Amino acid sequence: MKVGPYEGDTAQRKFAYSRVDVIKLDTKCLFAGKLERIREWEEKPHSHPFCEILFVLSGEGEVTVGGRSYPIGKDDLIIYNPNVVHKERTSASSGLELAFFGITNFKIENLPADFLIGEHASPVLHTKKDEEKFAFYFRSLVEEVSADQPYSELMAKYWARLILIGILRLANVSEAKFVTNAIFTRIHQYLTKHFAEISCMEDICTALNINKYYLSHIFKKYMGTPPMQYVTLRRIAYAKQLLQETDLPASAVGEVCGYRDRVLFFKAFRKAEGMTPGEFRRRARERLPASARETV
């Protein structure tokens, strides 16, 4: 096992598991590591003969698998099946920080060897309330591979297994969330791209020409979150990024994120984070090394 160079991505997936025992876990972790890419970076299409699993530690962008694009953001899992052509790119406003590993020697019922998802499924899995658990698993795996300590290979093998089992558990919670749905994909992509411009449900319905009640039903079914709540989550996530990475006044940050009213922004931010934007910025910068704080 080695800390290999980032070898790429590829995937498609459809979760249809009923019991954890459908998977044979005689796994081998080939490599693991972390990757950072600047904004407006794009990778060349490629494939590899093993399954690769990635976790978005920060930033946002897009993956293209089988000619179809999927937005990705912080706390998303990305799964690439063996020998499937894929590529990644970052957004115009944000880079990407990814943890990743390659793995072989597992088998899921009704899927080819080393396939974690079905042929026509989305390669992106939203971890939701399990994001901290997956972040811990991936960081532990990468640290173990990098540490060169006794039993590091064995420890890495088990961290990789925990991630696989965690993915199965997510799938078992609600299989419907992982079924590819063209209308849901349209809605999700629009909300992810235009969250700062959306003021109400009617804006989304008009842009996509979809009935309000159907739009709300289909999005919540697959995402587990109402559309406008997802808009708020994206706004707050972007606000946190701007507060950490820029010197924009908090009111200007709110406006960039879609809040025309300063009071509404402060209220929404405090509700989501338990503190004001100014407090969040101070705490975030206090955690930075002294050399890094001087450049912010």
Side-chain angles (χ1 to χ4, degrees), residues 166-222:
I167 291 171
L168 288 172
R169 179 174 288 174
L170 276 178
N172 287 330
V173 169
S174 176
E175 295 175 25
K177 293 179 183 178
F178 309 104
V179 176
T180 300
N181 182 285
I183 295 177
F184 165 74
T185 300
R186 282 183 62 211
I187 299 169
H188 185 270
Q189 289 178 341
Y190 182 81
L191 267 58
T192 300
K193 184 176 181 179
H194 298 283
F195 63 86
E197 307 160 21
I198 298 168
S199 59
C200 60
M201 282 284 290
E202 283 69 22
D203 291 346
I204 311 169
C205 297
T206 301
L208 300 178
N209 194 27
I210 299 175
N211 175 274
K212 176 180 178 180
Y213 299 101
Y214 181 69
L215 185 151
S216 180
H217 168 75
I218 202 72
F219 190 84
K220 189 171 182 179
K221 174 184 176 182
Y222 284 87

Side-chain angles (χ1 to χ4, degrees), residues 3 32-34 99-100 137-147:
V3 183
K34 285 176 63 177
F100 61 91
Y137 287 170
F138 273 85
R139 287 193 172 99
S140 298
L141 171 59
V142 172
E143 288 172 7
E144 202 62 55
V145 173
S146 306

Side-chain angles (χ1 to χ4, degrees), residues 233-250:
L233 291 172
R234 296 296 296 188
R235 286 179 172 181
I236 298 301
Y238 189 40
K240 288 165 63 179
Q241 179 184 338
L242 292 176
L243 289 167
Q244 292 180 82
E245 298 178 0
T246 76
D247 290 319
L248 282 174

Side-chain angles (χ1 to χ4, degrees), residues 32-48:
K34 285 176 63 177
L35 170 73
E36 293 186 23
R37 294 299 190 190
I38 62 174
R39 63 182 185 176
E40 296 186 314
W41 164 85
E42 184 167 350
E43 175 179 58
K44 293 182 179 179
H46 62 280
S47 64
H48 39 65

Side-chain angles (χ1 to χ4, degrees), residues 42-256:
E42 184 167 350
E43 175 179 58
K44 293 182 179 179
H46 62 280
S47 64
H48 39 65
F50 49 82
C51 180
E52 187 173 43
I53 304 175
L54 303 88
F55 183 76
V56 182
L57 296 169
S58 65
E60 59 184 21
E62 186 179 84
V63 296
T64 301
V65 180
R68 188 169 183 178
S69 297
Y70 304 83
I72 57 172
K74 186 177 181 299
D75 301 326
D76 282 347
L77 282 162
I78 308 161
I79 300 176
Y80 300 119
N81 281 335
N83 303 313
V84 179
V85 177
H86 56 274
K87 69 173 183 177
E88 297 168 358
R89 68 176 180 179
T90 58
S91 70
S93 60
S94 173
L96 276 171
E97 182 184 15
L98 302 165
F100 61 91
F101 68 100
I103 192 166
T104 61
N105 285 9
F106 66 92
K107 177 72 171 68
I108 295 173
E109 192 173 70
N110 301 322
L111 289 178
D114 294 340
F115 272 55
L116 188 52
I117 58 175
E119 183 180 359
H120 300 293
S122 168
V124 180
L125 171 62
H126 308 292
T127 59
K128 299 181 177 298
K129 59 184 176 62
D130 293 310
E131 73 273 10
E132 292 183 5
K133 176 181 70 177
F134 279 101
F136 173 70
Y137 287 170
F138 273 85
R139 287 193 172 99
S140 298
L141 171 59
V142 172
E143 288 172 7
E144 202 62 55
V145 173
S146 306
D148 193 26
Q149 296 181 10
Y151 304 108
S152 62
E153 185 167 342
L154 183 61
M155 288 291 292
K157 180 177 181 179
Y158 282 101
W159 283 120
R161 288 185 178 185
L162 280 173
I163 292 170
L164 289 181
I165 294 171
I167 291 171
L168 288 172
R169 179 174 288 174
L170 276 178
N172 287 330
V173 169
S174 176
E175 295 175 25
K177 293 179 183 178
F178 309 104
V179 176
T180 300
N181 182 285
I183 295 177
F184 165 74
T185 300
R186 282 183 62 211
I187 299 169
H188 185 270
Q189 289 178 341
Y190 182 81
L191 267 58
T192 300
K193 184 176 181 179
H194 298 283
F195 63 86
E197 307 160 21
I198 298 168
S199 59
C200 60
M201 282 284 290
E202 283 69 22
D203 291 346
I204 311 169
C205 297
T206 301
L208 300 178
N209 194 27
I210 299 175
N211 175 274
K212 176 180 178 180
Y213 299 101
Y214 181 69
L215 185 151
S216 180
H217 168 75
I218 202 72
F219 190 84
K220 189 171 182 179
K221 174 184 176 182
Y222 284 87
M223 195 69 182
T225 304
M228 292 307 296
Q229 184 176 332
Y230 178 75
V231 168
T232 299
L233 291 172
R234 296 296 296 188
R235 286 179 172 181
I236 298 301
Y238 189 40
K240 288 165 63 179
Q241 179 184 338
L242 292 176
L243 289 167
Q244 292 180 82
E245 298 178 0
T246 76
D247 290 319
L248 282 174
S251 56
V253 169
E255 187 169 350
V256 170

Side-chain angles (χ1 to χ4, degrees), residues 254-285:
E255 187 169 350
V256 170
C257 295
Y259 292 97
R260 306 295 177 255
D261 187 314
R262 178 179 179 275
V263 174
L264 289 178
F265 170 56
F266 276 63
K267 183 177 179 180
F269 195 94
R270 180 185 283 276
K271 182 177 179 181
E273 298 298 318
M275 64 186 80
T276 67
E279 290 171 334
F280 176 85
R281 172 175 273 165
R282 285 194 297 273
R283 293 189 187 185
R285 293 188 175 179

